[in-house]
Amino acid sequence: MEKYLNEFVVGERGVVKKITAEGRIKRRLFDMGVTPHAEILMRKVAPLGDPIEVNIRGYELTLRKSEAQCVLMEVEN
Amino acid sequence: MNFALAGNPNCGKTTLFNALTGSTAHVGNWPGVTVDKREGTYKKLEQKVQIVDLPGIYSLSPYTPEEVISRNYILDEHPDCVINIVDATNLERNLYLTTQILEIDVPVVVALNMADALEKSGDRVDVKALEEKIGVPVVSISALKGQGIDELMQRAYAAAQRPREGRTVLQDSALAHLIRDVQIALAGQNVASPLFHAVKLVEGDELETKAHASTVKMVEAFKKTFTDDTFGDDFEALVADARYGYISKNFASALHKKNTQALTKSDKADRVLTNRWGGIPIFLAILFAIFHLTFSENFLFLNGFGDGWMPTLEDLGMDTGNFGVQLLACVYDGTVYSPGVIINNLWNNVIVGNLFGLLSGAVENIGVDWVVGFINNGIIEGLAAVLSFLPQILVLFLFFSILEDSGYMARVAFILDRIFGKFGLSGRAFMPMIMGFGCSIPAMINTRTLADQKERTATVRVIPFFSCGAKLPILTAIAGAIVVQFGVGNADFITFGMYVLGVATAIVAVLVMRNTTMRGEVPPFIMELPAYHLPQFKSLMIHLWDKCKHFIKKAFTIILASTIVIWFISHFSFDWKFLADEQINESILASIGMFVQPLFTPLGFGAQLQNWGWVFVVAAVTGLIAKENVIATFGVLAACIIGSALPEDEEGISYVVAMIDATGITVPALIAFIAFNMTTIPCFAAVATARAELPSKKSFNWTLLFWLVTSYIVAAAVYTVGSWWWTIFLWLAAAVLISLGIVWFNRRKKAV
């Protein structure tokens, strides 16, 4: 099943399929290891509901929901 | 010889740098940007090696100043060797940068840091295999324990003897041919490091496409013939994917070791510290503790919450002239002081006080009035005023460095980003702002943690609105006098209200800036939450020493010069007659005050005041040296008005009362005066810091104007609304009109 990273619930796992962002945000996502085939585990939502924290490539990454909206995922069963 | 250190943030780069350079290290700025440039010398090789610590980066992309600096340094300054520090516990993402550095024609050595930490968790990196694969020496080190560093430097020294040609990990990717062709074309144009430039050109990198416009066509032509199932013709994605693909394929054995089910110590800490419910209260508690430890004169509330029960040293019959008692008084005098206040007292009352006292005494012997006045009141008191900030700046800075180095600061940004995103800032902007309540100087320096230049400028500008410790005496004296003289209100309520006003001004100012002059997207918030670790004493001290040096240098140059100018115009009349303190009414400063006084009529302390009305303007000007001076000036002027010195009054309430009697100033005007002082140009020390932290002279000049205009508007609003309540509707109408104007203008601009 496909969905965007911002729709993930805590504890859900998936694999990146596509990045739909452009320019600076896209580059930044790539540089931080958010590239197709990367596995992501949704870790946590900040106390005020945004941003989120995920585990990717063995480290903790935080990003806003608006940015996570640019990451299309394949949900792992 | 010249080696550069490159690596991700939090990979132990600074620790390695400190271990290599020791006391030879010094910090400057990279030209044109406020990013720290650390340099030092390593002396254990046959020849001395200059070490440059490049900013921590994740990639050689063109988007942040840190990335551009590192990239240009390696490409243009031709270091003899690049030492790439790689965090073994986070190999995959760290090697991503390595694959980019390897493409440059420069000798590279990889320092595999924290391999010992990895081994502790049961994993291992095969150094030999890694070395074979990437084709450059790999040395396992522990920067923290100082292990492997000598070997690292010897191998780097050996590597530096021979030139190295760039290599790419993209040789098996679909773009290999294109990269090869572009590389040959660039080599034909005598471009240095053609491989690196070729890869960046293929990626469509902004800097490269500008620099090699003619060669871009090759890429464009190829793009038309190319398509990939997953990426289409998005070469940037293809390259990033190929790099990570290569890393996961070749170093898989050392990767994915972290069992995401098992929680590390850091994860456990994070469970509490960024907890959905507990996160914010814990953060507020930490913040309170920091301010309490730094500024509280009632440590741990030992003296109770009311008037207090502890006797002063004088009550106990001690001789306050005795040196030992003076020392004791720094720690306890009718109340127990917090560590920050103790250090402050020791510094100001004992060290600076006695030292400068001795100096002043010696100067008295000169005998010429104006020379003694100039040296004692101009130079020495000015310096004492500025240096008096030092201890609390350093203590506050120490606490925030601990938060930063431990990794907690990134979590603060995580917790608060939601709120700040609404104002067009990121969560990181919170810390500098809140530090502003203590002192603007460390707060402004701390804006360096913000990635975005516009965000940084906007934050520096609003920091003075977070009323600092030195502005509190203005508040307590005037609020106290209002209660005494007019019998209205409550001093605490007025004080609190003024703090709120300052914060509200900051919020409005940020909103206005982000929608007008500082327009731009909200900076992205895609960042690493580094694992927690204990801050290192040594690096904290190095940090503090740097700030200390920086501040003292400023104190003796720009701040001292401005202080002297103000002393001069307040102690000389236009006919070059030297004036005693009490004759300030005849001074050049007073004349200027009288001249500009009408300008302050809309603020309530202008033409409507009687004879002595200019004193408020003059007090505001002397406040530029240090805000404490505002009330001190009132004391001097009160003596001048009454004709004899007033009794010593620590809070200065009686001075203000004398001013009210002499000028007939109203309550709204007094509150407007506080508001003006709180939001106008801060003290010279803060102004000098702002100059250093802002990107250009132009931006600094605008900042000064911004402070003046903001304080004028805020104070005028306070005065008019306080005097004639219905004017609030005029102000609101103006605010609505201006907001609509901005929205309309931005829409039109977007449409064009």
Side-chain angles (χ1 to χ4, degrees), chain A residues 10 13 17-19 21-39 41 43-65 67, chain B residues 58-59 61 63 67 90 92-93 96 100 200 203 230-231 234 236-237 240-241 244 248 258 260-261 263 267 270-271 274-276 279-280 414-415 417-419 425-426 452 522-529:
Chain A
V10 173
R13 217 179 264 275
K17 280 198 75 169
K18 200 178 165 178
I19 307 293
E22 279 306 321
R24 188 171 159 185
I25 294 186
K26 169 171 146 189
R27 182 77 227 187
R28 183 79 179 159
L29 285 170
F30 285 156
D31 289 344
M32 298 307 283
V34 187
T35 59
H37 315 308
E39 198 179 301
L41 164 67
R43 277 274 210 191
K44 190 179 280 178
V45 178
L48 298 168
D50 195 20
I52 59 172
E53 180 186 332
V54 300
N55 181 287
I56 180 167
R57 298 185 190 273
Y59 79 99
E60 307 298 315
L61 177 77
T62 171
L63 69 171
R64 295 200 183 108
K65 282 189 170 165
E67 289 145 358
Chain B
Y58 295 105
S59 162
S61 304
Y63 287 107
E67 288 165 349
N90 201 340
E92 196 169 350
R93 203 203 55 227
Y96 178 75
Q100 296 181 51
K200 289 289 168 200
E203 277 183 339
T230 323
F231 301 103
D234 186 349
E236 199 181 352
D241 182 67
Y244 271 112
S248 350
K258 186 173 172 192
T260 42
Q261 306 300 327
L263 291 174
D267 292 336
D270 230 5
R271 268 191 142 175
T274 60
N275 183 281
R276 189 93 207 235
I280 291 179
F414 173 72
I415 291 174
D417 184 69
R418 179 75 189 262
I419 301 174
L425 301 173
S426 71
D452 184 88
V522 177
F525 189 75
I526 305 169
M527 58 170 217
E528 180 185 9
L529 291 176

Side-chain angles (χ1 to χ4, degrees), chain B residues 14-73:
Chain B
T14 307
T15 314
L16 176 62
F17 176 78
N18 290 341
L20 287 175
T21 58
S23 61
T24 65
H26 58 99
V27 192
N29 266 359
W30 292 92
V33 282
T34 46
V35 176
D36 283 345
K37 180 182 192 181
R38 289 167 199 281
E39 285 175 290
T41 318
Y42 180 76
K43 294 175 183 160
K44 287 197 203 158
L45 292 170
E46 291 149 51
Q47 88 193 86
K48 281 187 183 169
V49 181
Q50 197 65 21
I51 310 276
V52 177
D53 187 19
L54 298 175
I57 46 169
Y58 295 105
S59 162
L60 294 175
S61 304
Y63 287 107
T64 69
E66 286 81 2
E67 288 165 349
V68 177
I69 288 168
S70 303
R71 172 165 158 164
N72 290 349
Y73 187 85

Side-chain angles (χ1 to χ4, degrees), chain B residues 496-522:
Chain B
F496 182 72
M498 294 319 284
Y499 273 92
V500 174
L501 181 73
V503 175
T505 307
I507 291 173
V508 173
V510 166
L511 276 175
V512 170
M513 272 191 275
R514 292 300 282 182
N515 285 296
T516 56
T517 53
M518 299 270 124
R519 224 180 274 119
E521 282 170 44
V522 177

